[in-house]
Amino acid sequence: MISPLMSHFGLKAQIVAPDSMTIDTDSLRRDFDNQPYFGLYKDNYFTFGVPIGETPTKTNSNVKFQISIAQRLTRSTLPWNTYLFLFYTQKVFWNVLENSMPMTDLNFNPGIGLVKPLFVKDRFIGKLMVLAEHESNGRDGVKSRSWNKISFGANIMIEPTFIVHGKFWIPIVDGGENRDILDYSGIYQVGTQVFSRNRRFGASVTLVKRRGWNLNYNTIIEFNYRLFKRENQYLFAQYYNGYGEGLLEYKKFHSMFRVGIVIKPRIFSDF
């Protein structure tokens, strides 16, 4: 039986106690050392959305989809029992209702970093991550957007059905057209994920803190329902409220409701 751990860890370690997600640590680490692994990083989804609070039109209703993958680069553990990963996420906004159906905003987010799985008394409880990331939209001139960041993140399983996550970053803003991006796309994020006991239903809330002392957050609320018992494909609904949903219009406020399909890592998603 394949252990339902993080998809990009590619684990085959035996589950000792499914309800507590207890993992044989030695088996887990042998799996890491014995095989390369390519898999999911963040959620992979395809959705269609309309704005909340205004009349949907061809220009403000669109498709949003995301592709996110990870590749482990080291066969054995590095210092502090870490593993080196290469990550890549691409987020696209596609105006399918307009003539010629233009893809109006493509966001490219490659990264490389160390991942450390966490264990307490042979129980897997989550992971720590340190990443060097770049994000840009691949354009030039006044529509160019880009920035870099050193990110520090953690996902912690309080129990198998309740996970908390957080991430903060040291920004390096090199894009001349988005010097104020921290005022809109934020300086850190926190959130939770909850699941039903059989993992058929799930929900998450993520808050991204924009720069400043005010309580100014971008809010992302998601719900998912697994279609088939043994698969990781879900019906998906996402509500986004705030700024910075995409790089091109990072200064524009969006309140969007989207529905579609998502393919999720087996234990918890990265954000």
Side-chain angles (χ1 to χ4, degrees), residues 160-212:
T161 59
F162 179 58
I163 295 165
V164 297
H165 60 87
K167 185 178 181 182
F168 73 93
W169 43 86
I170 300 171
I172 306 168
V173 182
D174 58 351
E177 300 298 328
N178 54 266
R179 293 292 184 183
D180 58 352
I181 194 168
L182 300 182
D183 296 335
Y184 301 91
S185 296
I187 54 177
Y188 71 84
Q189 65 185 43
V190 294
T192 63
Q193 300 177 66
V194 295
F195 309 93
S196 62
R197 180 60 64 175
N198 63 2
R199 303 189 72 83
R200 200 70 184 264
F201 301 92
S204 69
V205 176
T206 302
L207 301 176
V208 181
K209 178 64 175 70
R210 303 194 294 271
R211 182 165 59 184

Side-chain angles (χ1 to χ4, degrees), residues 233-254:
Q233 301 174 26
Y234 298 77
L235 294 176
F236 181 59
Q238 181 191 77
Y239 172 63
Y240 191 100
N241 183 271
Y243 299 87
E245 186 180 20
L247 283 177
L248 183 61
E249 296 184 332
Y250 72 96
K251 292 185 180 183
K252 184 177 179 179
F253 178 83
H254 289 94

Side-chain angles (χ1 to χ4, degrees), residues 104-120:
T104 56
D105 192 10
L106 284 73
N107 298 179
F108 307 96
N109 181 204
I112 189 169
L114 295 173
V115 177
K116 178 180 175 59
L118 298 177
F119 300 91
V120 173

Side-chain angles (χ1 to χ4, degrees), residues 49-227:
V50 296
I52 302 297
E54 58 181 290
T55 302
T57 67
K58 292 181 179 181
T59 57
N60 64 15
S61 304
N62 59 19
V63 164
K64 174 185 175 184
F65 65 88
Q66 178 171 282
I67 299 169
S68 187
I69 55 177
Q71 172 70 50
R72 183 167 64 88
L73 299 178
T74 52
R75 294 185 63 85
S76 299
T77 56
L78 299 174
W80 303 292
N81 293 319
T82 60
Y83 297 85
L84 183 65
F85 277 83
L86 182 67
F87 301 101
Y88 179 75
T89 301
Q90 183 170 317
K91 183 168 56 178
V92 178
F93 296 85
W94 185 11
N95 284 25
V96 296
L97 300 180
E98 294 188 41
N99 293 334
S100 78
M101 298 190 297
M103 291 187 177
T104 56
D105 192 10
L106 284 73
N107 298 179
F108 307 96
N109 181 204
I112 189 169
L114 295 173
V115 177
K116 178 180 175 59
L118 298 177
F119 300 91
V120 173
K121 297 180 179 179
D122 288 337
R123 176 178 177 263
F124 175 77
I125 65 164
K127 66 176 182 178
L128 302 177
M129 302 177 67
V130 179
L131 306 176
E133 299 184 73
H134 171 77
E135 188 174 19
S136 65
N137 65 349
R139 297 198 183 190
D140 56 13
V142 296
K143 293 186 177 181
S144 174
R145 309 282 187 268
S146 69
W147 64 321
N148 307 286
K149 50 189 176 181
I150 306 299
S151 302
F152 304 85
N155 290 333
I156 304 297
M157 297 175 62
I158 305 302
E159 58 180 58
T161 59
F162 179 58
I163 295 165
V164 297
H165 60 87
K167 185 178 181 182
F168 73 93
W169 43 86
I170 300 171
I172 306 168
V173 182
D174 58 351
E177 300 298 328
N178 54 266
R179 293 292 184 183
D180 58 352
I181 194 168
L182 300 182
D183 296 335
Y184 301 91
S185 296
I187 54 177
Y188 71 84
Q189 65 185 43
V190 294
T192 63
Q193 300 177 66
V194 295
F195 309 93
S196 62
R197 180 60 64 175
N198 63 2
R199 303 189 72 83
R200 200 70 184 264
F201 301 92
S204 69
V205 176
T206 302
L207 301 176
V208 181
K209 178 64 175 70
R210 303 194 294 271
R211 182 165 59 184
W213 295 106
N214 297 329
L215 296 178
N216 49 358
Y217 291 88
N218 301 328
T219 303
I220 308 163
I221 302 173
E222 297 176 342
F223 297 94
N224 51 265
Y225 172 75
R226 188 167 59 183
L227 294 173

